[in-house]
C-alpha cells in the first residue's frame, strides 16, 4: 500500500478491499445478534454486493433470520430504519432482484398506514424513524394501489404540519439536543435526515411518480424548495446551516446535516422541476462541500450518516453527477482515513457513551462497506433511496 497520494486505480482497489473487509466485520458481529434490524441491514448490504459484484453474499439467509426475529419480538415499530417498513422495503428489493414479487406486505402496509393517519403531533417529521421514511416505503411499493394510498396519506399529514412564511412552506422540529443558549422549543432544520431538505426530496419523488398525486406534490415542492433555497448562509465554507436558528454556525459536512446531503436532495428537486436554478444551487453546494477544509468537516468517525464513508460516497456522486474531477482527491483523503483507522483494528463509532463497535447501515460497518463499494464500482445502489439521495422507486429491482 502506498503512503502518498494514491492513483485512481490503487484507490479503487483499496476501496473494494476495505468494503469486503468491513462487510466481513459486520457479518461476523451480527451473526449472533438478536436484533432483527441488524439482520435486515445485513440482508440489504449482501444484496448490494450481489448486484455490484455478482455471486451470493447471503442476502436471503440474513433476511430470513431477520424476519424470524421480528415475528418473535412482539410489538414492532413502523419505521424505515429499525421497523416494519425496513422489512417491507428489504423484501421488495430482494424479491425484485430474484425475479419475484414480495409477499406478506399487507401487514406492513396496515401498520404504516395507521401510523401515517394517526401520526403523533409531538413527533418530528423524520426520515429514519418517522413520517418521511414511511413515505419512502410507500413509494417503493410494487402495488400501485398501495403506493397511492400510502403516499396520499403522507401528503395529507404533511399538509397538516407544514407552516408558511414569506419565503414558502417549511417544517418545524424539536431538536434532540439544543446548542443554543436558553430554552428552545422548535427549530427549522434544513437537513435531509430530520428536516426540510428531506421533505423537498420526498416531494420531488412523488412529483416524478406515476401516481395521480404528482400535481399536488409538485405544488408542495414548489413552496418548500423555494423556502429551502432562501436559507443559504455561506458561513465558514458551507452553504446551508444546520437550522435557521443556527444560521451563523456552520453545519458539519455530512449526509444527515449539511451541504453533502442537501446538494443531493436539491439534485432530485432539480430533476423533478426541470429548474436550472435549483440545479445550479445543487452544483454550487456540492462544489463548496468538497472544497471545504477537511479539518472543518467535523468528521469524528467513519460512518455513512455523518462520517468519512459518507463523504467517500458523496465524492463519487459529485464526480459522476456534477462532473467535478477534483472530487477524486477528496474521496482519496477520506478513504485513506478509513484505511488507516481499520489498519489499527475494527472500526469504532461515536455514540452517546463514547466510541463503540457498530455494525449497522447508517452508523456502522455496513454503511462504510456500502459507501466504499459504491466508490469502487460506481454501481447505483438501491440504498440511496432510503437516504432520499435519488428519486424513490426509480431503481426498482
Amino acid at each position: 500500500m502506498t503512503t502518498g497520494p494514491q492513483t485512481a486505480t490503487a484507490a479503487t482497489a483499496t476501496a473494494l478491499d476495505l468494503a469486503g473487509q468491513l462487510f466481513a466485520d459486520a457479518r461476523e458481529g451480527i451473526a449472533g445478534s438478536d436484533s432483527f434490524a441488524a439482520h435486515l441491514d445485513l440482508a440489504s448490504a449482501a444484496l448490494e454486493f450481489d448486484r455490484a459484484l455478482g455471486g451470493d453474499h447471503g442476502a436471503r439467509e440474513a433476511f430470513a433470520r431477520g424476519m424470524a426475529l421480528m415475528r418473535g419480538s412482539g410489538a414492532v415499530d413502523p419505521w424505515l430504519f429499525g421497523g416494519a417498513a425496513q422489512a417491507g422495503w428489504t423484501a421488495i428489493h430482494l424479491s425484485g432482484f430474484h425475479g419475484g414479487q414480495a409477499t406478506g406486505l399487507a401487514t406492513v402496509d396496515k401498520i404504516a398506514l395507521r401510523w401515517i393517519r394517526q401520526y403523533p403531533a409531538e413527533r418530528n417529521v423524520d426520515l429514519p424513524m418517522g413520517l418521511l421514511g414511511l413515505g419512502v416505503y410507500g413509494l417503493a411499493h410494487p402495488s400501485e394501489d398501495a403506493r397511492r394510498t400510502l403516499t396520499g396519506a403522507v401528503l395529507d399529514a404533511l399538509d397538516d404540519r407544514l407552516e408558511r412564511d414569506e419565503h414558502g412552506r417549511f417544517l418545524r422540529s424539536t431538536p434532540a439536543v439544543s446548542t443554543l443558549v436558553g430554552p428552545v422549543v422548535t427549530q427549522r432544520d434544513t437537513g435531509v435526515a430530520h428536516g426540510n431538505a428531506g421533505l423537498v426530496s420526498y416531494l420531488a419523488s412523488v412529483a416524478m411518480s406515476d401516481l395521480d398525486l404528482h400535481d399536488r406534490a409538485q405544488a408542495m415542492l414548489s413552496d418548500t424548495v423555494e423556502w429551502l433555497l432562501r436559507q443559504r448562509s455561506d458561513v465558514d465554507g458551507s452553504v446551508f446551516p444546520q437550522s435557521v436558528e443556527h444560521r451563523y454556525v456552520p453545519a458539519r459536512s455530512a449526509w444527515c446535516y449539511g451541504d453533502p446531503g442537501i446538494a443531493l436532495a436539491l439534485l432530485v428537486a432539480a430533476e423533478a422541476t426541470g429548474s436550472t436554478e435549483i440545479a445550479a444551487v445543487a452544483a454550487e453546494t456540492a462544489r463548496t462541500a468538497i472544497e471545504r477544509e477537511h479539518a472543518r468537516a467535523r468528521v469524528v468517525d467513519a460512518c455513512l450518516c455523518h462520517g468519512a464513508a459518507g463523504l467517500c460516497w458523496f465524492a463519487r456522486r459529485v464526480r459522476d453527477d456534477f462532473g467535478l474531477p477534483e472530487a477524486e482527491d477528496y474521496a482519496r483523503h477520506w478513504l485513506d482515513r478509513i484505511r488507516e483507522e481499520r489498519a489499527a483494528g475494527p472500526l469504532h463509532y461515536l455514540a452517546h457513551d463514547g466510541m463503540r463497535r457498530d455494525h449497522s447501515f447508517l452508523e456502522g460497518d455496513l454503511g462504510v462497506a456500502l459507501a466504499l463499494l459504491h466508490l469502487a464500482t460506481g454501481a447505483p445502489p438501491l440504498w440511496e433511496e432510503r437516504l432520499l439521495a435519488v428519486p424513490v422507486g426509480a431503481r426498482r429491482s
Side-chain angles (χ1 to χ4, degrees):
M1 184 67 62
T2 59
T3 56
Q6 301 181 66
T7 66
T9 301
T12 296
T14 298
L16 196 56
D17 287 347
L18 273 173
Q21 187 174 25
L22 270 293
F23 180 71
D25 288 348
R27 184 165 51 191
E28 179 181 358
I30 290 171
S33 171
D34 60 359
S35 164
F36 76 83
H39 289 275
L40 293 179
D41 275 352
L42 182 60
S44 296
L47 174 60
E48 299 289 5
F49 274 81
D50 290 351
R51 293 177 71 248
L53 304 177
D56 184 352
H57 293 82
R60 284 176 287 191
E61 293 80 4
F63 180 75
R65 177 60 177 156
M67 293 304 295
L69 288 167
M70 189 173 76
R71 284 191 289 268
S73 65
V76 175
D77 288 329
W79 315 127
L80 185 63
F81 290 76
Q86 179 183 358
W89 186 91
T90 307
I92 289 166
H93 289 296
L94 186 58
S95 298
F97 178 72
H98 291 286
Q101 185 162 315
T103 59
L105 295 178
T107 300
V108 178
D109 300 348
K110 183 178 179 180
I111 293 171
L113 187 59
R114 182 174 69 247
W115 269 87
I116 294 167
R117 287 177 171 168
Q118 301 174 10
Y119 199 72
E122 69 278 6
R123 191 172 189 95
N124 290 338
V125 174
D126 185 80
L127 172 58
M129 291 185 287
L131 185 65
L132 291 184
L134 301 181
V136 169
Y137 167 71
L139 282 176
H141 206 290
S143 162
E144 183 176 349
D145 287 344
R147 284 201 302 278
R148 200 215 176 280
T149 299
L150 291 165
T151 304
V154 171
L155 294 184
D156 288 343
L158 289 173
D159 253 337
D160 289 341
R161 296 287 287 266
L162 285 167
E163 298 181 37
R164 183 181 290 277
D165 65 14
E166 68 275 19
H167 301 309
R169 301 179 77 188
F170 61 92
L171 290 167
R172 289 188 186 272
S173 60
T174 303
V177 178
S178 174
T179 58
L180 298 176
V181 176
V184 175
V185 177
T186 61
Q187 68 180 20
R188 290 159 289 176
D189 188 322
T190 64
V192 176
H194 314 290
N196 285 278
L199 168 69
V200 161
S201 182
Y202 171 74
L203 291 173
S205 283
V206 181
M208 288 187 283
S209 73
D210 58 356
L211 301 173
D212 58 4
L213 299 162
H214 48 72
D215 288 346
R216 180 185 180 191
Q218 190 74 251
M220 296 172 73
L221 172 61
S222 178
D223 285 343
T224 54
V225 73
E226 177 63 23
W227 182 88
L228 182 62
L229 293 177
R230 293 296 190 102
Q231 307 315 314
R232 286 173 284 176
S233 61
D234 300 312
V235 174
D236 190 33
S238 64
V239 176
F240 287 89
Q242 177 172 321
S243 71
V244 176
E245 289 70 24
H246 292 77
R247 180 172 297 282
Y248 301 109
V249 179
R252 64 174 24 145
S253 292
W255 162 76
C256 53
Y257 294 108
D259 290 341
I262 295 173
L264 297 179
L266 287 175
L267 192 63
V268 180
E271 183 178 350
T273 60
S275 168
T276 56
E277 178 193 358
I278 297 173
V281 175
E284 170 204 347
T285 304
R287 182 184 293 278
T288 300
I290 64 169
E291 291 178 348
R292 190 179 192 185
E293 293 181 24
H294 302 313
R296 294 185 175 183
R298 292 168 54 192
V299 169
V300 296
D301 63 27
C303 77
L304 175 63
C305 177
H306 48 260
L311 298 182
C312 287
W313 159 59
F314 175 65
R316 179 70 197 231
R317 288 291 307 271
V318 168
R319 194 195 77 177
D320 293 350
D321 295 340
F322 298 100
L324 300 180
E326 55 266 43
E328 292 189 7
D329 289 337
Y330 186 79
R332 279 194 286 270
H333 171 83
W334 297 111
L335 174 62
D336 282 344
R337 174 164 169 169
I338 297 170
R339 176 181 57 81
E340 292 165 4
E341 289 185 9
R342 182 60 187 83
L347 296 180
H348 286 67
Y349 304 89
L350 184 65
H352 295 300
D353 55 351
M355 302 296 285
R356 61 175 173 81
R357 294 286 291 124
D358 190 317
H359 309 298
S360 70
F361 165 66
L362 204 55
E363 297 185 331
D365 291 338
L366 287 176
V368 181
L370 291 177
L372 298 184
L373 179 67
H374 179 62
L375 176 63
T377 68
L382 297 168
W383 53 262
E384 285 185 311
E385 72 177 24
R386 288 180 74 198
L387 303 187
L388 287 173
V390 294
V392 181
R395 295 175 183 162
R396 298 186 198 280
S397 294

